[in-house]
Amino acid sequence: MQFTSTAISLNVPDVDPSAEWVQRHLGFSVAMAAEGFCSLQHPDAGINLIYLRTGLPTFKPASAAADATGLLVVFTVDAIDDDYARLREEGVTIVTPIETEPWGERYFQMTDPNGIVYQLVQWVEPTEEHVG
């Protein structure tokens, strides 16, 4: 099997606010769009983000048609402190302020207008007790 691309599809009540949010704050651009659907790409992300409006009659399987909840969309970055400062200045809703875990994960979490949680992470040196 050879994959040609990768995407994550997120069901949201209103596609446009999420699509506009990732364009404005995370630098994505629209790859394709239609009524109730938007696929966005980023040259460094490695995946497309797809937003689908919940309730579309064409959605299959119906068992997966609920809102996207209980998940994190995670991106690894190189300058997390700069990104954190910029996103706070832009008024992004931060739900978990920046912190560093002992195993070397420095991260923060934010939400888009539909409540999707995005996490930016940068890997740093772990504390001494977590060095293998």
Side-chain angles (χ1 to χ4, degrees), residues 14 17 27-28 44 48 50 59-60 65-66 71 73 81 92 99 104 109 117 122 124 127:
D14 192 356
F28 278 76
D44 301 324
N48 277 27
I50 296 173
F59 191 89
K60 294 179 180 122
L71 60 86
V73 178
D81 293 295
V92 167
E99 58 184 67
Q109 297 170 332
V117 179
Q122 181 176 0
V124 296
T127 59

Side-chain angles (χ1 to χ4, degrees), residues 23-68:
Q23 289 176 82
R24 178 177 177 200
H25 299 296
L26 302 184
F28 278 76
S29 62
V30 174
M32 65 179 100
E35 179 63 32
F37 162 85
C38 189
S39 176
L40 297 109
Q41 60 192 8
H42 189 286
D44 301 324
I47 64 166
N48 277 27
L49 289 177
I50 296 173
Y51 299 102
L52 287 175
R53 188 179 69 234
T54 51
L56 288 176
T58 56
F59 191 89
K60 294 179 180 122
S63 61
D67 285 348

Side-chain angles (χ1 to χ4, degrees), residues 8 16 18 44 51 69 76 85 103 132:
I8 183 170
D16 291 341
S18 287
D44 301 324
Y51 299 102
T69 58
T76 302
W103 54 85

Side-chain angles (χ1 to χ4, degrees), residues 91-110:
V92 167
T93 301
I94 305 293
V95 293
T96 303
I98 198 164
E99 58 184 67
T100 304
E101 299 290 359
W103 54 85
E105 180 182 15
R106 184 157 175 78
Y107 75 98
F108 66 95
Q109 297 170 332
M110 56 201 159

